[in-house]
Amino acid sequence: MNWTLMWDSLPRLLAALPLTLQLVVLALAFGAVLAFATALLRLSGNRVAVALTAAYTFIFRGTPLLVQIFLIYYGLSQIDLIRDSFLWPVLSQPMWCAILALALNTGAYTSEILRGAIETVPQGQVEAARACGMSRVRLFRRIVLPVAIRQMLPAYGNEVILMVKASSLASTITMMEITGVARRMIAQTFAVFEIFIVAGILYLLINFVATRLIRHAEWRMTPYLRARA
């Protein structure tokens, strides 16, 4: 073990940390919006909407994320309609292709998590809210959605961890995030073991902070359990 090399590699890997966090945060944000819309369409009862959203979740949950990244980054450039559209200045950038692939992937998984959480909301609470005269929109906003979010947080925490680790695949399309910088340093020093250990520790620290934030959100959203304890 070359401890000096590991210590010297830390500043360069830390310099790539903001890009990794940017990829993860933007992908989770866009994916959350997409998941919310997809889950509502899956529960809408409209056959066309249900079929389209079911196909979307099946495709993006059933295919490797690396294949999705390659298809978006290399495949979209082969379509003349996209190259001639206003989207090309964005989709020609590897960062936005990576964010799009990550967002579509996490959106598919998160939509299923949210849909399952909505379906498990106790029917008694829904009936009680209807008996109080709540409209469907207010019922969903004040009863169904808060309960569903509380129930989905543990599973969503796992999805956040998976997205942090999946962001390393962005290095395959020239993104210089943590893994991309680590691969470049390994090509220069041939110290695979030492540099990947430092990179792995950084990912571990990111996921440690993410799990703590999820646990804090669970604690804040379950005051009735705290009182009971």
Side-chain angles (χ1 to χ4, degrees), residues 193-229:
F193 198 63
E194 292 88 343
I195 292 176
F196 270 150
I197 284 179
V198 179
I201 291 173
L202 291 180
Y203 282 112
L204 190 64
L205 291 176
I206 295 172
N207 282 327
F208 175 78
V209 174
T211 54
R212 291 299 171 181
L213 291 175
I214 294 293
R215 286 190 178 183
H216 180 70
E218 291 183 54
W219 182 80
R220 290 293 301 273
M221 299 185 71
T222 54
Y224 55 94
L225 295 180
R226 299 200 306 269
R228 186 179 303 172

PDB file of all heavy atoms in Angstrom, residues 193-229:
ATOM      1  N   PHE A 193      -5.279  -0.199  -6.904  1.00  0.00           N
ATOM      2  CA  PHE A 193      -5.784  -0.515  -5.577  1.00  0.00           C
ATOM      3  C   PHE A 193      -5.914   0.737  -4.717  1.00  0.00           C
ATOM      4  O   PHE A 193      -6.974   1.011  -4.138  1.00  0.00           O
ATOM      5  CB  PHE A 193      -4.844  -1.528  -4.912  1.00  0.00           C
ATOM      6  CG  PHE A 193      -5.458  -2.256  -3.758  1.00  0.00           C
ATOM      7  CD1 PHE A 193      -6.555  -3.078  -3.927  1.00  0.00           C
ATOM      8  CD2 PHE A 193      -4.919  -2.125  -2.488  1.00  0.00           C
ATOM      9  CE1 PHE A 193      -7.122  -3.744  -2.857  1.00  0.00           C
ATOM     10  CE2 PHE A 193      -5.474  -2.795  -1.412  1.00  0.00           C
ATOM     11  CZ  PHE A 193      -6.576  -3.603  -1.595  1.00  0.00           C
ATOM     12  N   GLU A 194      -4.859   1.513  -4.650  1.00  0.00           N
ATOM     13  CA  GLU A 194      -4.840   2.657  -3.746  1.00  0.00           C
ATOM     14  C   GLU A 194      -5.859   3.721  -4.138  1.00  0.00           C
ATOM     15  O   GLU A 194      -6.606   4.239  -3.297  1.00  0.00           O
ATOM     16  CB  GLU A 194      -3.439   3.270  -3.693  1.00  0.00           C
ATOM     17  CG  GLU A 194      -2.387   2.401  -3.027  1.00  0.00           C
ATOM     18  CD  GLU A 194      -1.705   1.454  -3.997  1.00  0.00           C
ATOM     19  OE1 GLU A 194      -2.275   1.246  -5.094  1.00  0.00           O
ATOM     20  OE2 GLU A 194      -0.632   0.927  -3.670  1.00  0.00           O
ATOM     21  N   ILE A 195      -5.906   4.052  -5.428  1.00  0.00           N
ATOM     22  CA  ILE A 195      -6.773   5.155  -5.863  1.00  0.00           C
ATOM     23  C   ILE A 195      -8.237   4.764  -5.789  1.00  0.00           C
ATOM     24  O   ILE A 195      -9.092   5.567  -5.376  1.00  0.00           O
ATOM     25  CB  ILE A 195      -6.374   5.597  -7.286  1.00  0.00           C
ATOM     26  CG1 ILE A 195      -4.991   6.237  -7.241  1.00  0.00           C
ATOM     27  CG2 ILE A 195      -7.398   6.575  -7.856  1.00  0.00           C
ATOM     28  CD1 ILE A 195      -4.444   6.636  -8.581  1.00  0.00           C
ATOM     29  N   PHE A 196      -8.568   3.535  -6.157  1.00  0.00           N
ATOM     30  CA  PHE A 196      -9.966   3.121  -6.075  1.00  0.00           C
ATOM     31  C   PHE A 196     -10.430   2.992  -4.624  1.00  0.00           C
ATOM     32  O   PHE A 196     -11.620   3.143  -4.337  1.00  0.00           O
ATOM     33  CB  PHE A 196     -10.187   1.804  -6.821  1.00  0.00           C
ATOM     34  CG  PHE A 196     -10.555   1.990  -8.255  1.00  0.00           C
ATOM     35  CD1 PHE A 196     -10.203   1.051  -9.218  1.00  0.00           C
ATOM     36  CD2 PHE A 196     -11.278   3.101  -8.668  1.00  0.00           C
ATOM     37  CE1 PHE A 196     -10.549   1.220 -10.540  1.00  0.00           C
ATOM     38  CE2 PHE A 196     -11.630   3.279  -9.999  1.00  0.00           C
ATOM     39  CZ  PHE A 196     -11.255   2.329 -10.940  1.00  0.00           C
ATOM     40  N   ILE A 197      -9.511   2.706  -3.704  1.00  0.00           N
ATOM     41  CA  ILE A 197      -9.886   2.693  -2.286  1.00  0.00           C
ATOM     42  C   ILE A 197     -10.294   4.096  -1.838  1.00  0.00           C
ATOM     43  O   ILE A 197     -11.317   4.285  -1.165  1.00  0.00           O
ATOM     44  CB  ILE A 197      -8.729   2.155  -1.422  1.00  0.00           C
ATOM     45  CG1 ILE A 197      -8.636   0.643  -1.542  1.00  0.00           C
ATOM     46  CG2 ILE A 197      -8.916   2.543   0.040  1.00  0.00           C
ATOM     47  CD1 ILE A 197      -7.512   0.025  -0.737  1.00  0.00           C
ATOM     48  N   VAL A 198      -9.512   5.100  -2.211  1.00  0.00           N
ATOM     49  CA  VAL A 198      -9.852   6.482  -1.846  1.00  0.00           C
ATOM     50  C   VAL A 198     -11.177   6.893  -2.484  1.00  0.00           C
ATOM     51  O   VAL A 198     -12.033   7.508  -1.824  1.00  0.00           O
ATOM     52  CB  VAL A 198      -8.723   7.438  -2.271  1.00  0.00           C
ATOM     53  CG1 VAL A 198      -9.089   8.873  -1.922  1.00  0.00           C
ATOM     54  CG2 VAL A 198      -7.413   7.053  -1.579  1.00  0.00           C
ATOM     55  N   ALA A 199     -11.372   6.541  -3.763  1.00  0.00           N
ATOM     56  CA  ALA A 199     -12.636   6.863  -4.434  1.00  0.00           C
ATOM     57  C   ALA A 199     -13.811   6.170  -3.748  1.00  0.00           C
ATOM     58  O   ALA A 199     -14.878   6.771  -3.548  1.00  0.00           O
ATOM     59  CB  ALA A 199     -12.567   6.474  -5.908  1.00  0.00           C
ATOM     60  N   GLY A 200     -13.625   4.906  -3.372  1.00  0.00           N
ATOM     61  CA  GLY A 200     -14.697   4.179  -2.691  1.00  0.00           C
ATOM     62  C   GLY A 200     -15.047   4.793  -1.351  1.00  0.00           C
ATOM     63  O   GLY A 200     -16.218   4.829  -0.952  1.00  0.00           O
ATOM     64  N   ILE A 201     -14.030   5.287  -0.629  1.00  0.00           N
ATOM     65  CA  ILE A 201     -14.286   5.943   0.652  1.00  0.00           C
ATOM     66  C   ILE A 201     -15.118   7.202   0.458  1.00  0.00           C
ATOM     67  O   ILE A 201     -16.033   7.494   1.252  1.00  0.00           O
ATOM     68  CB  ILE A 201     -12.957   6.263   1.362  1.00  0.00           C
ATOM     69  CG1 ILE A 201     -12.281   4.966   1.821  1.00  0.00           C
ATOM     70  CG2 ILE A 201     -13.178   7.185   2.559  1.00  0.00           C
ATOM     71  CD1 ILE A 201     -10.896   5.156   2.388  1.00  0.00           C
ATOM     72  N   LEU A 202     -14.862   7.953  -0.605  1.00  0.00           N
ATOM     73  CA  LEU A 202     -15.646   9.164  -0.871  1.00  0.00           C
ATOM     74  C   LEU A 202     -17.096   8.816  -1.160  1.00  0.00           C
ATOM     75  O   LEU A 202     -18.017   9.482  -0.656  1.00  0.00           O
ATOM     76  CB  LEU A 202     -15.035   9.933  -2.049  1.00  0.00           C
ATOM     77  CG  LEU A 202     -13.671  10.586  -1.797  1.00  0.00           C
ATOM     78  CD1 LEU A 202     -13.189  11.311  -3.038  1.00  0.00           C
ATOM     79  CD2 LEU A 202     -13.742  11.537  -0.609  1.00  0.00           C
ATOM     80  N   TYR A 203     -17.321   7.779  -1.965  1.00  0.00           N
ATOM     81  CA  TYR A 203     -18.702   7.347  -2.211  1.00  0.00           C
ATOM     82  C   TYR A 203     -19.357   6.875  -0.919  1.00  0.00           C
ATOM     83  O   TYR A 203     -20.554   7.118  -0.689  1.00  0.00           O
ATOM     84  CB  TYR A 203     -18.726   6.221  -3.250  1.00  0.00           C
ATOM     85  CG  TYR A 203     -18.551   6.683  -4.672  1.00  0.00           C
ATOM     86  CD1 TYR A 203     -17.403   6.375  -5.387  1.00  0.00           C
ATOM     87  CD2 TYR A 203     -19.538   7.438  -5.299  1.00  0.00           C
ATOM     88  CE1 TYR A 203     -17.234   6.793  -6.693  1.00  0.00           C
ATOM     89  CE2 TYR A 203     -19.378   7.859  -6.612  1.00  0.00           C
ATOM     90  CZ  TYR A 203     -18.229   7.538  -7.305  1.00  0.00           C
ATOM     91  OH  TYR A 203     -18.060   7.968  -8.591  1.00  0.00           O
ATOM     92  N   LEU A 204     -18.600   6.199  -0.082  1.00  0.00           N
ATOM     93  CA  LEU A 204     -19.138   5.724   1.190  1.00  0.00           C
ATOM     94  C   LEU A 204     -19.546   6.888   2.082  1.00  0.00           C
ATOM     95  O   LEU A 204     -20.606   6.853   2.733  1.00  0.00           O
ATOM     96  CB  LEU A 204     -18.095   4.862   1.896  1.00  0.00           C
ATOM     97  CG  LEU A 204     -18.565   4.083   3.126  1.00  0.00           C
ATOM     98  CD1 LEU A 204     -19.616   3.066   2.735  1.00  0.00           C
ATOM     99  CD2 LEU A 204     -17.375   3.388   3.788  1.00  0.00           C
ATOM    100  N   LEU A 205     -18.756   7.951   2.097  1.00  0.00           N
ATOM    101  CA  LEU A 205     -19.095   9.122   2.903  1.00  0.00           C
ATOM    102  C   LEU A 205     -20.337   9.827   2.362  1.00  0.00           C
ATOM    103  O   LEU A 205     -21.182  10.287   3.139  1.00  0.00           O
ATOM    104  CB  LEU A 205     -17.901  10.086   2.927  1.00  0.00           C
ATOM    105  CG  LEU A 205     -16.670   9.611   3.696  1.00  0.00           C
ATOM    106  CD1 LEU A 205     -15.532  10.613   3.550  1.00  0.00           C
ATOM    107  CD2 LEU A 205     -16.998   9.393   5.171  1.00  0.00           C
ATOM    108  N   ILE A 206     -20.462   9.920   1.049  1.00  0.00           N
ATOM    109  CA  ILE A 206     -21.660  10.529   0.458  1.00  0.00           C
ATOM    110  C   ILE A 206     -22.905   9.747   0.866  1.00  0.00           C
ATOM    111  O   ILE A 206     -23.922  10.317   1.277  1.00  0.00           O
ATOM    112  CB  ILE A 206     -21.539  10.591  -1.072  1.00  0.00           C
ATOM    113  CG1 ILE A 206     -20.406  11.521  -1.497  1.00  0.00           C
ATOM    114  CG2 ILE A 206     -22.852  11.077  -1.692  1.00  0.00           C
ATOM    115  CD1 ILE A 206     -20.113  11.484  -2.981  1.00  0.00           C
ATOM    116  N   ASN A 207     -22.824   8.425   0.766  1.00  0.00           N
ATOM    117  CA  ASN A 207     -23.979   7.601   1.119  1.00  0.00           C
ATOM    118  C   ASN A 207     -24.266   7.643   2.616  1.00  0.00           C
ATOM    119  O   ASN A 207     -25.421   7.530   3.034  1.00  0.00           O
ATOM    120  CB  ASN A 207     -23.754   6.160   0.667  1.00  0.00           C
ATOM    121  CG  ASN A 207     -23.975   5.983  -0.820  1.00  0.00           C
ATOM    122  OD1 ASN A 207     -24.814   6.665  -1.408  1.00  0.00           O
ATOM    123  ND2 ASN A 207     -23.233   5.091  -1.433  1.00  0.00           N
ATOM    124  N   PHE A 208     -23.230   7.798   3.434  1.00  0.00           N
ATOM    125  CA  PHE A 208     -23.448   7.933   4.876  1.00  0.00           C
ATOM    126  C   PHE A 208     -24.262   9.189   5.172  1.00  0.00           C
ATOM    127  O   PHE A 208     -25.231   9.149   5.952  1.00  0.00           O
ATOM    128  CB  PHE A 208     -22.103   7.986   5.599  1.00  0.00           C
ATOM    129  CG  PHE A 208     -22.234   8.233   7.072  1.00  0.00           C
ATOM    130  CD1 PHE A 208     -22.595   7.218   7.931  1.00  0.00           C
ATOM    131  CD2 PHE A 208     -21.995   9.496   7.605  1.00  0.00           C
ATOM    132  CE1 PHE A 208     -22.722   7.445   9.295  1.00  0.00           C
ATOM    133  CE2 PHE A 208     -22.118   9.736   8.964  1.00  0.00           C
ATOM    134  CZ  PHE A 208     -22.478   8.708   9.815  1.00  0.00           C
ATOM    135  N   VAL A 209     -23.893  10.303   4.552  1.00  0.00           N
ATOM    136  CA  VAL A 209     -24.641  11.549   4.749  1.00  0.00           C
ATOM    137  C   VAL A 209     -26.069  11.400   4.219  1.00  0.00           C
ATOM    138  O   VAL A 209     -27.037  11.860   4.857  1.00  0.00           O
ATOM    139  CB  VAL A 209     -23.923  12.722   4.062  1.00  0.00           C
ATOM    140  CG1 VAL A 209     -24.766  13.988   4.135  1.00  0.00           C
ATOM    141  CG2 VAL A 209     -22.564  12.956   4.706  1.00  0.00           C
ATOM    142  N   ALA A 210     -26.220  10.753   3.055  1.00  0.00           N
ATOM    143  CA  ALA A 210     -27.553  10.580   2.466  1.00  0.00           C
ATOM    144  C   ALA A 210     -28.455   9.750   3.374  1.00  0.00           C
ATOM    145  O   ALA A 210     -29.631  10.095   3.576  1.00  0.00           O
ATOM    146  CB  ALA A 210     -27.432   9.930   1.091  1.00  0.00           C
ATOM    147  N   THR A 211     -27.933   8.667   3.942  1.00  0.00           N
ATOM    148  CA  THR A 211     -28.753   7.832   4.824  1.00  0.00           C
ATOM    149  C   THR A 211     -29.141   8.586   6.091  1.00  0.00           C
ATOM    150  O   THR A 211     -30.263   8.421   6.597  1.00  0.00           O
ATOM    151  CB  THR A 211     -28.004   6.548   5.201  1.00  0.00           C
ATOM    152  OG1 THR A 211     -26.720   6.884   5.750  1.00  0.00           O
ATOM    153  CG2 THR A 211     -27.812   5.664   3.990  1.00  0.00           C
ATOM    154  N   ARG A 212     -28.236   9.416   6.585  1.00  0.00           N
ATOM    155  CA  ARG A 212     -28.562  10.211   7.780  1.00  0.00           C
ATOM    156  C   ARG A 212     -29.656  11.227   7.477  1.00  0.00           C
ATOM    157  O   ARG A 212     -30.542  11.467   8.312  1.00  0.00           O
ATOM    158  CB  ARG A 212     -27.310  10.916   8.299  1.00  0.00           C
ATOM    159  CG  ARG A 212     -26.278   9.978   8.891  1.00  0.00           C
ATOM    160  CD  ARG A 212     -26.851   9.227  10.075  1.00  0.00           C
ATOM    161  NE  ARG A 212     -25.963   8.183  10.539  1.00  0.00           N
ATOM    162  CZ  ARG A 212     -26.241   7.369  11.538  1.00  0.00           C
ATOM    163  NH1 ARG A 212     -27.402   7.464  12.165  1.00  0.00           N
ATOM    164  NH2 ARG A 212     -25.395   6.418  11.905  1.00  0.00           N
ATOM    165  N   LEU A 213     -29.603  11.824   6.308  1.00  0.00           N
ATOM    166  CA  LEU A 213     -30.652  12.779   5.936  1.00  0.00           C
ATOM    167  C   LEU A 213     -32.005  12.086   5.788  1.00  0.00           C
ATOM    168  O   LEU A 213     -33.035  12.628   6.207  1.00  0.00           O
ATOM    169  CB  LEU A 213     -30.269  13.480   4.632  1.00  0.00           C
ATOM    170  CG  LEU A 213     -29.089  14.453   4.706  1.00  0.00           C
ATOM    171  CD1 LEU A 213     -28.755  14.985   3.321  1.00  0.00           C
ATOM    172  CD2 LEU A 213     -29.399  15.601   5.661  1.00  0.00           C
ATOM    173  N   ILE A 214     -32.005  10.896   5.199  1.00  0.00           N
ATOM    174  CA  ILE A 214     -33.251  10.142   5.064  1.00  0.00           C
ATOM    175  C   ILE A 214     -33.804   9.754   6.429  1.00  0.00           C
ATOM    176  O   ILE A 214     -35.017   9.874   6.699  1.00  0.00           O
ATOM    177  CB  ILE A 214     -33.040   8.894   4.196  1.00  0.00           C
ATOM    178  CG1 ILE A 214     -32.715   9.288   2.754  1.00  0.00           C
ATOM    179  CG2 ILE A 214     -34.271   7.999   4.224  1.00  0.00           C
ATOM    180  CD1 ILE A 214     -33.846   9.961   2.022  1.00  0.00           C
ATOM    181  N   ARG A 215     -32.941   9.322   7.331  1.00  0.00           N
ATOM    182  CA  ARG A 215     -33.388   8.966   8.681  1.00  0.00           C
ATOM    183  C   ARG A 215     -33.923  10.180   9.426  1.00  0.00           C
ATOM    184  O   ARG A 215     -34.910  10.077  10.173  1.00  0.00           O
ATOM    185  CB  ARG A 215     -32.237   8.343   9.466  1.00  0.00           C
ATOM    186  CG  ARG A 215     -31.895   6.923   9.048  1.00  0.00           C
ATOM    187  CD  ARG A 215     -30.923   6.289  10.017  1.00  0.00           C
ATOM    188  NE  ARG A 215     -30.623   4.910   9.657  1.00  0.00           N
ATOM    189  CZ  ARG A 215     -29.847   4.110  10.371  1.00  0.00           C
ATOM    190  NH1 ARG A 215     -29.285   4.568  11.488  1.00  0.00           N
ATOM    191  NH2 ARG A 215     -29.625   2.865   9.989  1.00  0.00           N
ATOM    192  N   HIS A 216     -33.284  11.329   9.231  1.00  0.00           N
ATOM    193  CA  HIS A 216     -33.777  12.549   9.865  1.00  0.00           C
ATOM    194  C   HIS A 216     -35.153  12.913   9.316  1.00  0.00           C
ATOM    195  O   HIS A 216     -36.046  13.349  10.076  1.00  0.00           O
ATOM    196  CB  HIS A 216     -32.798  13.694   9.637  1.00  0.00           C
ATOM    197  CG  HIS A 216     -33.232  14.989  10.250  1.00  0.00           C
ATOM    198  ND1 HIS A 216     -33.255  15.196  11.614  1.00  0.00           N
ATOM    199  CD2 HIS A 216     -33.692  16.150   9.677  1.00  0.00           C
ATOM    200  CE1 HIS A 216     -33.693  16.420  11.865  1.00  0.00           C
ATOM    201  NE2 HIS A 216     -33.960  17.014  10.720  1.00  0.00           N
ATOM    202  N   ALA A 217     -35.350  12.751   7.996  1.00  0.00           N
ATOM    203  CA  ALA A 217     -36.662  13.026   7.406  1.00  0.00           C
ATOM    204  C   ALA A 217     -37.718  12.076   7.966  1.00  0.00           C
ATOM    205  O   ALA A 217     -38.850  12.497   8.258  1.00  0.00           O
ATOM    206  CB  ALA A 217     -36.586  12.898   5.886  1.00  0.00           C
ATOM    207  N   GLU A 218     -37.375  10.797   8.126  1.00  0.00           N
ATOM    208  CA  GLU A 218     -38.308   9.852   8.729  1.00  0.00           C
ATOM    209  C   GLU A 218     -38.653  10.274  10.156  1.00  0.00           C
ATOM    210  O   GLU A 218     -39.819  10.195  10.577  1.00  0.00           O
ATOM    211  CB  GLU A 218     -37.704   8.447   8.735  1.00  0.00           C
ATOM    212  CG  GLU A 218     -37.565   7.804   7.381  1.00  0.00           C
ATOM    213  CD  GLU A 218     -37.031   6.390   7.507  1.00  0.00           C
ATOM    214  OE1 GLU A 218     -37.615   5.583   8.248  1.00  0.00           O
ATOM    215  OE2 GLU A 218     -36.006   6.090   6.866  1.00  0.00           O
ATOM    216  N   TRP A 219     -37.646  10.697  10.902  1.00  0.00           N
ATOM    217  CA  TRP A 219     -37.872  11.121  12.294  1.00  0.00           C
ATOM    218  C   TRP A 219     -38.780  12.347  12.357  1.00  0.00           C
ATOM    219  O   TRP A 219     -39.675  12.430  13.205  1.00  0.00           O
ATOM    220  CB  TRP A 219     -36.527  11.419  12.934  1.00  0.00           C
ATOM    221  CG  TRP A 219     -36.607  11.817  14.380  1.00  0.00           C
ATOM    222  CD1 TRP A 219     -36.744  10.996  15.446  1.00  0.00           C
ATOM    223  CD2 TRP A 219     -36.555  13.152  14.896  1.00  0.00           C
ATOM    224  NE1 TRP A 219     -36.780  11.728  16.612  1.00  0.00           N
ATOM    225  CE2 TRP A 219     -36.662  13.057  16.305  1.00  0.00           C
ATOM    226  CE3 TRP A 219     -36.428  14.409  14.310  1.00  0.00           C
ATOM    227  CZ2 TRP A 219     -36.651  14.181  17.126  1.00  0.00           C
ATOM    228  CZ3 TRP A 219     -36.411  15.526  15.135  1.00  0.00           C
ATOM    229  CH2 TRP A 219     -36.515  15.412  16.518  1.00  0.00           C
ATOM    230  N   ARG A 220     -38.579  13.294  11.447  1.00  0.00           N
ATOM    231  CA  ARG A 220     -39.398  14.503  11.442  1.00  0.00           C
ATOM    232  C   ARG A 220     -40.832  14.229  11.013  1.00  0.00           C
ATOM    233  O   ARG A 220     -41.763  14.912  11.466  1.00  0.00           O
ATOM    234  CB  ARG A 220     -38.783  15.547  10.506  1.00  0.00           C
ATOM    235  CG  ARG A 220     -37.486  16.173  10.992  1.00  0.00           C
ATOM    236  CD  ARG A 220     -37.723  17.017  12.235  1.00  0.00           C
ATOM    237  NE  ARG A 220     -38.681  18.076  12.007  1.00  0.00           N
ATOM    238  CZ  ARG A 220     -38.384  19.283  11.542  1.00  0.00           C
ATOM    239  NH1 ARG A 220     -37.112  19.585  11.272  1.00  0.00           N
ATOM    240  NH2 ARG A 220     -39.316  20.202  11.374  1.00  0.00           N
ATOM    241  N   MET A 221     -41.042  13.241  10.164  1.00  0.00           N
ATOM    242  CA  MET A 221     -42.365  12.982   9.610  1.00  0.00           C
ATOM    243  C   MET A 221     -43.158  11.960  10.410  1.00  0.00           C
ATOM    244  O   MET A 221     -44.276  11.614  10.015  1.00  0.00           O
ATOM    245  CB  MET A 221     -42.243  12.523   8.155  1.00  0.00           C
ATOM    246  CG  MET A 221     -41.605  13.548   7.238  1.00  0.00           C
ATOM    247  SD  MET A 221     -41.600  13.054   5.505  1.00  0.00           S
ATOM    248  CE  MET A 221     -43.350  13.209   5.116  1.00  0.00           C
ATOM    249  N   THR A 222     -42.601  11.460  11.506  1.00  0.00           N
ATOM    250  CA  THR A 222     -43.339  10.499  12.344  1.00  0.00           C
ATOM    251  C   THR A 222     -43.361  10.962  13.792  1.00  0.00           C
ATOM    252  O   THR A 222     -42.866  10.250  14.691  1.00  0.00           O
ATOM    253  CB  THR A 222     -42.705   9.090  12.246  1.00  0.00           C
ATOM    254  OG1 THR A 222     -41.302   9.211  12.566  1.00  0.00           O
ATOM    255  CG2 THR A 222     -42.861   8.508  10.863  1.00  0.00           C
ATOM    256  N   PRO A 223     -43.925  12.128  14.089  1.00  0.00           N
ATOM    257  CA  PRO A 223     -43.957  12.595  15.478  1.00  0.00           C
ATOM    258  C   PRO A 223     -44.804  11.718  16.375  1.00  0.00           C
ATOM    259  O   PRO A 223     -44.543  11.596  17.570  1.00  0.00           O
ATOM    260  CB  PRO A 223     -44.539  14.011  15.368  1.00  0.00           C
ATOM    261  CG  PRO A 223     -45.330  13.988  14.096  1.00  0.00           C
ATOM    262  CD  PRO A 223     -44.574  13.079  13.173  1.00  0.00           C
ATOM    263  N   TYR A 224     -45.830  11.066  15.811  1.00  0.00           N
ATOM    264  CA  TYR A 224     -46.694  10.220  16.633  1.00  0.00           C
ATOM    265  C   TYR A 224     -45.935   8.980  17.125  1.00  0.00           C
ATOM    266  O   TYR A 224     -46.192   8.484  18.226  1.00  0.00           O
ATOM    267  CB  TYR A 224     -47.915   9.783  15.820  1.00  0.00           C
ATOM    268  CG  TYR A 224     -47.607   9.097  14.528  1.00  0.00           C
ATOM    269  CD1 TYR A 224     -47.539   7.722  14.446  1.00  0.00           C
ATOM    270  CD2 TYR A 224     -47.382   9.830  13.367  1.00  0.00           C
ATOM    271  CE1 TYR A 224     -47.260   7.075  13.275  1.00  0.00           C
ATOM    272  CE2 TYR A 224     -47.093   9.214  12.164  1.00  0.00           C
ATOM    273  CZ  TYR A 224     -47.029   7.817  12.129  1.00  0.00           C
ATOM    274  OH  TYR A 224     -46.753   7.200  10.937  1.00  0.00           O
ATOM    275  N   LEU A 225     -44.989   8.477  16.335  1.00  0.00           N
ATOM    276  CA  LEU A 225     -44.183   7.359  16.800  1.00  0.00           C
ATOM    277  C   LEU A 225     -43.193   7.784  17.875  1.00  0.00           C
ATOM    278  O   LEU A 225     -42.908   7.035  18.809  1.00  0.00           O
ATOM    279  CB  LEU A 225     -43.425   6.741  15.617  1.00  0.00           C
ATOM    280  CG  LEU A 225     -44.300   6.073  14.538  1.00  0.00           C
ATOM    281  CD1 LEU A 225     -43.442   5.502  13.430  1.00  0.00           C
ATOM    282  CD2 LEU A 225     -45.178   4.983  15.159  1.00  0.00           C
ATOM    283  N   ARG A 226     -42.644   8.983  17.753  1.00  0.00           N
ATOM    284  CA  ARG A 226     -41.726   9.493  18.781  1.00  0.00           C
ATOM    285  C   ARG A 226     -42.445   9.670  20.102  1.00  0.00           C
ATOM    286  O   ARG A 226     -41.935   9.307  21.154  1.00  0.00           O
ATOM    287  CB  ARG A 226     -41.119  10.829  18.339  1.00  0.00           C
ATOM    288  CG  ARG A 226     -40.310  10.745  17.069  1.00  0.00           C
ATOM    289  CD  ARG A 226     -39.361  11.920  16.968  1.00  0.00           C
ATOM    290  NE  ARG A 226     -40.034  13.195  17.098  1.00  0.00           N
ATOM    291  CZ  ARG A 226     -40.521  13.888  16.081  1.00  0.00           C
ATOM    292  NH1 ARG A 226     -40.436  13.392  14.850  1.00  0.00           N
ATOM    293  NH2 ARG A 226     -41.107  15.053  16.256  1.00  0.00           N
ATOM    294  N   ALA A 227     -43.665  10.195  20.045  1.00  0.00           N
ATOM    295  CA  ALA A 227     -44.438  10.384  21.271  1.00  0.00           C
ATOM    296  C   ALA A 227     -44.753   9.060  21.930  1.00  0.00           C
ATOM    297  O   ALA A 227     -44.704   8.920  23.148  1.00  0.00           O
ATOM    298  CB  ALA A 227     -45.714  11.164  20.968  1.00  0.00           C
ATOM    299  N   ARG A 228     -45.077   8.058  21.102  1.00  0.00           N
ATOM    300  CA  ARG A 228     -45.397   6.730  21.648  1.00  0.00           C
ATOM    301  C   ARG A 228     -44.164   6.099  22.299  1.00  0.00           C
ATOM    302  O   ARG A 228     -44.238   5.462  23.346  1.00  0.00           O
ATOM    303  CB  ARG A 228     -45.920   5.832  20.541  1.00  0.00           C
ATOM    304  CG  ARG A 228     -46.417   4.483  21.007  1.00  0.00           C
ATOM    305  CD  ARG A 228     -46.947   3.677  19.828  1.00  0.00           C
ATOM    306  NE  ARG A 228     -47.992   4.402  19.137  1.00  0.00           N
ATOM    307  CZ  ARG A 228     -48.522   4.005  17.981  1.00  0.00           C
ATOM    308  NH1 ARG A 228     -48.086   2.904  17.406  1.00  0.00           N
ATOM    309  NH2 ARG A 228     -49.480   4.720  17.410  1.00  0.00           N
ATOM    310  N   ALA A 229     -43.003   6.287  21.628  1.00  0.00           N
ATOM    311  CA  ALA A 229     -41.782   5.717  22.209  1.00  0.00           C
ATOM    312  C   ALA A 229     -41.429   6.390  23.528  1.00  0.00           C
ATOM    313  O   ALA A 229     -40.943   5.736  24.444  1.00  0.00           O
ATOM    314  CB  ALA A 229     -40.643   5.862  21.197  1.00  0.00           C
TER     315      ALA A 229
END
